[in-house]
Each structure stands twice: as structure tokens, then as C-alpha cells.
Amino acid sequence: MTITAIRRFRRFSRAVTREVGALDDSFLGRGRPLGAARVLNAIGHGREDVADIRDYLNLDSGLMSRLLRSLEDEGLVATKPHPEDGRRRVAQLTADGRREFAAYEELSDARAGTFLSGQHGTEALLAAMDLIATAIGRQDIGIERADPANDDARSCLEAYYAELAERFEDGFDVSLSRDPDAADMRPPRGAFLVASSDGLPVGCVGLKGNGTETGEVKRLWVARHARGIGLGKRLMRAVEDEARALSMRVLRLDTNRALPEAYALYKRDGWTEIDRFNDDPYPDHFFEKRLDIAATA
């Protein structure tokens, strides 16, 4: 790595440290440093298992205990044994803690809005932020089942459709294709998976079933800023596991020639090109894969 690259990285780190107030004794003027505020924020956003909070914030046990104790002393957080494992603890906000969490949320939103409103090329700046945040948090991207009609799923699908419209020679009209918000993309016939990076959706894939041993993989998409880190392959592994759980033995999929990355992924990942199997007007290539039912993710 060049000295110039290292200096650029360190300049960026210093700028972020100043902007977020990481060194302030009173983060956002609320009387406590950033560390305690981040623990409060994590609990407020639904993380209650203390070990989970520690892992999420990448804190050692000693620092986590001190921060949690400081919040307990302020009357903002109460801890108790985990209901299913007495060796673990859960933390919950008190009424005062919920009010403090809401105050932080309002101040943080206002600070972000003020910063962004003073910038030129906001979308380019946000795209760079997305790229950096995803690169730093790549190990924490999770994949979970979702209803294809919920907000995160629809956000992914709308971005996916927009990209197809941009890349296909004649555009893309979802009404001419098969939309995945049907019953066969929901249990017990199929599944829909969403990949998320710290609460923001960054990818999706659907499994369309019809009650037989054959299923179809649809709508594989990864956000531009999350590409190149193996997320597409992870999504494909996850959807294959969903298919095995539904006793599917054969999976099929199709893709368009304007998506060479997808075509290359399928070829690398053991899919076999086959003859056309549907009347969808958009795909140029058709694939099939026979599943090893004993395989695990």
C-alpha cells in the first residue's frame, strides 16, 4: 500500500472522528460520551441481549460493563437475567431511557440533515458513505426471511426493477414479468430473503415454489455499493438452503444477457445452462441446479 493511500485513509478517519463528535465528553450535548450514547441507541433499536450489544458495538466485556453500569446509574437502563439462559443478561430502556433515546434520535437526524443540506452532489456523497459503511461492516451483513410485500423487500425490488430498466436494451416493465409478491414466494410454498447492513436492505432473492420438488430462483439483486464482497453468492447459498428445507430437489432460474455478472455467478456456482422453460419475455439464458439435500450452508 502506498504512503499516499495510507495518508488519505487517515485523513478520512480524522474527519469522521471530528464530525461525529467521537471525542466529546458530552455527545450531542446530552451529558455523556459517544460510547454510552451508542449503547443506549442499540437498546432503543431493539437489541436487548447484552452479549449481542457488545458484539454489535465491538466492545470488550470490561468497557461494555462500565458503559451499561453508567446508564443504569442514570436510571436510563434496567438489566435482568435472560429468560432462557440465566448466564446471560438483557437490557431494557426505562421510561426515562426511552425519552433520552428519542432525544438522541431527534438530534442525530437534525445533525445529519444540516450536514447534508450544506453539500453539493448529495447523492454521490451518500453513495460513497454507503460504500464505506458496507465495506467496514461486511462481516455483519445478515440474511433473513421477509415478506416480499414489506418495506425492506419492496425497497430492494424497486431498486432492482430500476436497474433492469436502465440496463436492458428495451427497458423493463415488471407487469410483463412475474412479480414475486404472490403466495408462491411465501411459506410454505416458497420464501423471500433480504440481506441487511446495520438495518438497511442491501440485497434480496426469492424462491418460487409450486408444491413440487422443483422451485425457481427469482429477483437476485445486490446493491451496487455491496457488490464484490461475495454477497450474491451468500444469497444463493441461503436460497438453496430454503429450497432444501422445503424438500425441493431441483432449482431453475433465468437471466438476461445484460447481466453478465449474474451469468458468471451461476456458471461458477454449479448451475447448468438448459433450454427455455418459461414464456417470460426478458431472459436470454436459462439454468438448472440439482440440489444435494445433505448439504448445509
Side-chain angles (χ1 to χ4, degrees):
M1 188 60 60
T2 67
I3 293 297
T4 299
I6 291 171
R7 291 178 63 189
R8 290 170 67 188
F9 177 90
R10 294 185 62 187
R11 179 189 65 172
F12 171 78
S13 298
R14 290 191 297 270
V16 171
T17 298
R18 290 193 301 270
E19 178 60 32
V20 303
L23 302 180
D24 295 346
D25 289 332
S26 179
F27 177 64
L28 293 179
R30 301 300 295 178
R32 64 192 64 83
L34 176 62
R38 289 290 287 117
V39 172
L40 189 75
N41 176 271
I43 299 170
H45 280 288
R47 295 180 184 272
E48 296 186 344
D49 187 296
V50 172
D52 176 50
I53 299 169
R54 185 180 66 237
D55 291 343
Y56 169 63
L57 297 177
N58 196 26
L59 301 174
D60 64 57
S61 297
L63 179 56
M64 179 66 193
S65 294
R66 291 193 295 274
L67 293 173
L68 199 56
R69 191 178 306 116
S70 71
L71 294 171
E72 289 179 300
D73 290 344
E74 289 189 75
L76 304 179
V77 170
T79 61
K80 62 182 180 181
H82 194 288
E84 298 176 359
D85 186 349
R87 296 168 298 178
R88 301 171 74 91
R89 290 184 301 157
V90 295
Q92 296 177 327
L93 298 183
T94 63
D96 286 343
R98 289 191 292 273
R99 284 190 287 271
E100 194 67 14
F101 168 75
Y104 270 126
E105 289 289 280
E106 183 176 352
L107 287 168
S108 295
D109 285 350
R111 185 169 186 166
T114 299
F115 175 83
L116 292 172
S117 65
Q119 304 299 318
H120 295 290
T122 303
E123 282 305 316
L125 180 62
L126 287 171
M129 290 178 174
D130 286 339
L131 179 63
I132 293 165
T134 303
I136 292 173
R138 60 189 294 177
Q139 301 300 323
D140 298 318
I141 294 176
I143 298 174
E144 296 183 352
R145 297 184 191 93
D147 189 293
N150 78 14
D151 289 344
D152 284 349
R154 297 308 304 177
S155 174
C156 288
L157 290 169
E158 287 167 8
Y160 171 71
Y161 300 149
E163 184 168 352
L164 295 189
E166 175 187 314
R167 296 178 67 170
F168 287 6
E169 292 178 2
D170 298 319
F172 177 77
D173 181 351
V174 70
S175 67
L176 302 179
S177 186
R178 284 173 289 178
D179 204 356
D181 59 357
D184 52 12
M185 288 289 234
R186 297 183 175 96
R189 295 171 69 86
F192 196 81
L193 304 177
V194 171
S196 298
S197 173
D198 200 12
L200 292 178
V202 294
C204 67
V205 66
L207 174 64
K208 180 178 180 179
N210 57 14
T212 71
E213 293 186 349
T214 300
E216 188 176 352
V217 176
K218 300 291 292 180
R219 308 317 194 217
L220 174 67
W221 174 80
V222 174
R224 285 186 170 97
H225 60 268
R227 294 172 189 174
I229 60 174
L231 183 55
K233 186 173 183 177
R234 282 186 59 198
L235 283 163
M236 291 299 289
R237 289 284 184 269
V239 82
E240 287 178 18
D241 287 342
E242 293 289 336
R244 291 186 184 95
L246 293 171
S247 300
M248 294 180 185
R249 301 292 189 268
V250 178
L251 290 180
R252 290 175 174 172
L253 59 80
D254 58 53
T255 190
N256 186 282
R257 62 180 178 273
L259 305 174
E261 312 96 318
Y263 181 88
L265 171 62
Y266 305 144
K267 294 289 284 187
R268 288 195 308 268
D269 213 27
W271 290 75
T272 300
E273 201 157 358
I274 61 173
D275 292 334
R276 173 180 284 272
F277 60 82
N278 62 37
D279 58 359
D280 192 311
Y282 292 109
D284 302 300
H285 304 283
F286 301 82
F287 288 89
E288 182 176 279
K289 188 173 187 178
R290 296 189 175 276
L291 298 180
D292 176 2
I293 301 304
T296 57

